[in-house]
Amino acid sequence: MTVCEQIGEWLADLTPDSIPKRTLRRARLQTAAVLAAGRAGEAAAAPFVSVAPDGPAGEVYAGAAASVAHDWDDYLFMGHTGHSSVWTSRAFADDPERALLAQVAGNEVAGRFGAAVFLGPHNGQFWASIHCAGAAASAGVALGLDPEQLAHALAIALYQPPFGLWPGFMGPQTKLLTAAEPASQGARAALLAAEGVRGALDLVESRRGFLRAFSFVPRPQMLGALGDVWLTDTLAFKPLPGCAYLQAAADATLRAGVEPEEVATIDVDAGWLTVAMEHLRPPDGLTPAGINFSAARTVAVCLLAGRLTHEELDPGWLADNASAVEGLAARVHVRHDPGLTLETLRGPLDAGASTADVSPIGWLRVLRGARRSGINGGLDATELVAMLRNRDFRRALSRGARMGGDGLSGLDTAAMRMSFPCRLRIALRSGRTIQIEGDQPGSCGRSLEEQGAVVEEKCRMVGLEPAQAAAAAS
């Protein structure tokens, strides 16, 4: 049985009673969070909405463009699945219970495809291709397709998956297409399957298929454990717009309580992912993406505005404050701290994430692929060697290579932590230095109560009454 057929059978058997109540509660929070992100991105997405086609696929396209606009999105292990799962389920299901079922289905499928191609040229929000699968699953479940139709919906959706290019993601408005195009493509695939169109059911695992094309090392084992491991339980919710890797830096800046004119320099000690993001940031910083993917510019905006919302990402605000933002950002230095990288790495490992399916030759392919595609994160050879020589770091990598090996089956979602810590050292002109650790409220593994409070505040910040969001999510 092919991967598409296995997933199709699971999707067809999925019922609300088969999903844990805690999972459904987090999915409802996800609905409200994505609706709030869509509200925040309405102005930025207006040109995309104007060209969206009629019908449910057009609704998905418009919604995904809006919610991705300011990176104020939820994410799970592994993917920013809400852009496809939430909008698609709402567009294709009138019944709220059916929509929630379809949303969870999209999360579970898209998150697994993200895990399967994690060791590849794309990552995080740039995993555009996973929205093809997620939207096909959500739309297919909402439409009540049978197992065979659901399998073909996935095969059709993944026939021409998008392969985004970094220049179009890091800065220009084309970034909004990252989720909009593949989500609408996946939704159309379900409609085509309902009409009897058929796809290549072995398309995922074929030697010339999806996994080979979208990863340096294919990991089909990451597509299993459906119904046993609920990736929706690993949802994280961002208090502020911007990449997950800079949430802690923004939090620390806002809690430091200093005025911009007091600041001489700021050192941001962060893990490798935050440093890699800073390395890839767009050269023109005066765009929403230029702020969202730069810890230095985000810190500058937080200092100047005393807050961070979609309003500070408006082109008008950025133009009015351009010189001040860039002047402050030039005094912010983002540095790699191997200990913080290790803390990030330990989160998934403590939850049972395994790399036992990746051989030593496979890791060489990963390193070559990362260097070839320019996503090595700006670490020079000296830093990389120093990290690999660190005993604790080697132990962590070795532990991941030894554990399990059967994909997601050993993953404990309750123990999962996706942490991207940072530490700020703020040198004031007075000569005083403030050191402050960034917090990550609402992140993976935090309580439902805390996450609910984060989502409620997010709704308030964008002018969406919590009661409205709760009604929409119910």
Side-chain angles (χ1 to χ4, degrees):
M1 186 178 288
T2 67
V3 167
C4 286
E5 289 172 312
Q6 291 170 6
I7 295 175
E9 285 201 354
W10 179 76
L11 290 172
D13 290 338
L14 191 63
T15 66
D17 290 339
S18 65
I19 304 174
K21 286 183 172 55
R22 65 176 188 280
T23 308
L24 293 173
R25 287 181 65 190
R26 279 205 168 83
R28 290 190 180 94
L29 287 180
Q30 181 190 32
T31 304
V34 170
L35 292 178
R39 172 69 67 87
E42 282 178 355
F48 300 85
V49 174
S50 69
V51 302
D54 294 332
E59 293 177 36
V60 173
Y61 179 93
S67 61
V68 83
H70 297 315
D71 287 74
W72 211 347
D73 50 357
D74 53 271
Y75 58 97
L76 50 71
F77 185 89
M78 289 184 163
H80 298 240
T81 60
H83 303 303
S84 46
S85 68
V86 171
W87 297 112
T88 305
S89 62
R90 293 175 65 80
F92 281 83
D94 294 328
D95 174 57
E97 188 175 87
R98 189 75 184 174
L100 194 64
L101 182 72
Q103 180 181 324
V104 173
N107 285 341
E108 297 301 318
V109 172
R112 281 164 169 77
F113 273 94
V117 297
F118 172 68
L119 299 176
H122 297 148
N123 202 280
Q125 199 183 82
F126 205 28
W127 268 322
S129 59
I130 71 172
H131 296 298
C132 295
S138 288
V141 169
L143 291 167
L145 301 187
D146 64 33
E148 183 181 3
Q149 291 171 319
L150 286 161
H152 284 287
L154 283 170
I156 296 165
L158 291 169
Y159 163 54
Q160 295 185 110
F163 190 98
L165 301 176
W166 281 105
F169 181 75
M170 282 292 189
Q173 288 174 292
T174 46
K175 172 185 176 289
L176 275 66
L177 297 170
T178 305
E181 290 283 5
S184 59
Q185 179 177 324
R188 285 193 301 272
L191 292 170
L192 287 170
E195 291 294 324
V197 177
R198 297 295 179 256
L201 292 178
D202 66 342
L203 180 138
V204 173
E205 66 270 36
S206 168
R207 289 179 61 248
R208 294 185 175 89
F210 175 80
L211 294 182
R212 291 278 180 177
F214 279 79
S215 64
F216 304 137
V217 179
R219 304 183 71 193
Q221 297 92 329
M222 305 304 285
L223 296 168
L226 288 158
D228 295 322
V229 174
W230 296 93
L231 299 182
T232 302
D233 285 336
T234 67
L235 273 166
F237 301 94
K238 298 178 186 174
L240 305 168
C243 179
Y245 306 157
L246 54 72
Q247 293 289 314
D251 170 84
T253 305
L254 293 172
R255 287 192 293 108
V258 299
E259 297 297 326
E261 59 271 13
E262 297 180 273
V263 174
T265 61
I266 298 179
D267 289 333
V268 179
D269 295 332
W272 174 70
L273 290 171
T274 304
V275 175
M277 176 197 65
E278 198 73 25
H279 177 71
L280 291 167
R281 72 181 188 177
D284 177 9
L286 302 182
T287 65
I291 308 300
N292 291 156
F293 293 101
S294 168
R297 291 170 182 151
T298 290
V299 165
V301 170
C302 289
L303 281 170
L304 286 166
R307 66 176 195 170
L308 182 60
T309 73
H310 59 297
E311 293 179 1
E312 286 71 51
L313 299 176
D314 180 83
W317 192 95
L318 291 174
D320 290 343
N321 295 275
S323 60
V325 170
E326 293 291 30
L328 267 173
R331 305 204 299 272
V332 180
H333 310 289
V334 182
R335 309 178 189 280
H336 181 231
D337 184 324
L340 298 179
T341 296
L342 185 60
E343 187 175 334
T344 295
L345 183 62
R346 280 174 172 158
L349 291 178
D350 288 347
S354 170
T355 57
D357 56 317
V358 183
S359 68
I361 293 176
W363 283 114
L364 286 176
R365 290 174 183 158
V366 171
L367 290 173
R368 290 194 194 106
R371 186 168 59 249
R372 187 172 62 249
S373 57
I375 58 169
N376 57 336
L379 294 184
D380 60 30
T382 303
E383 287 179 294
L384 185 59
V385 169
M387 243 183 0
L388 293 175
R389 284 179 174 170
N390 181 283
R391 183 175 59 183
D392 291 336
F393 191 80
R394 290 201 314 273
R395 282 178 176 171
L397 291 177
S398 176
R399 179 184 171 197
R402 292 194 309 269
M403 288 190 306
D406 193 18
L408 296 178
S409 62
L411 197 68
D412 179 0
T413 57
M416 175 62 69
R417 301 292 182 270
M418 290 184 287
S419 173
F420 310 106
C422 81
R423 181 188 312 108
L424 265 61
R425 291 192 305 279
I426 306 173
L428 303 180
R429 297 187 187 279
S430 66
R432 189 164 65 97
T433 297
I434 298 172
Q435 182 164 303
I436 184 169
E437 302 279 342
D439 193 13
Q440 300 166 81
S443 59
C444 173
R446 299 293 180 96
S447 70
L448 275 162
E449 290 70 27
E450 179 183 298
Q451 292 185 329
V454 166
V455 172
E456 184 174 337
E457 176 62 10
K458 175 180 173 180
C459 291
R460 186 197 64 77
M461 292 166 75
V462 303
L464 184 66
E465 291 296 326
Q468 289 178 280
S474 64

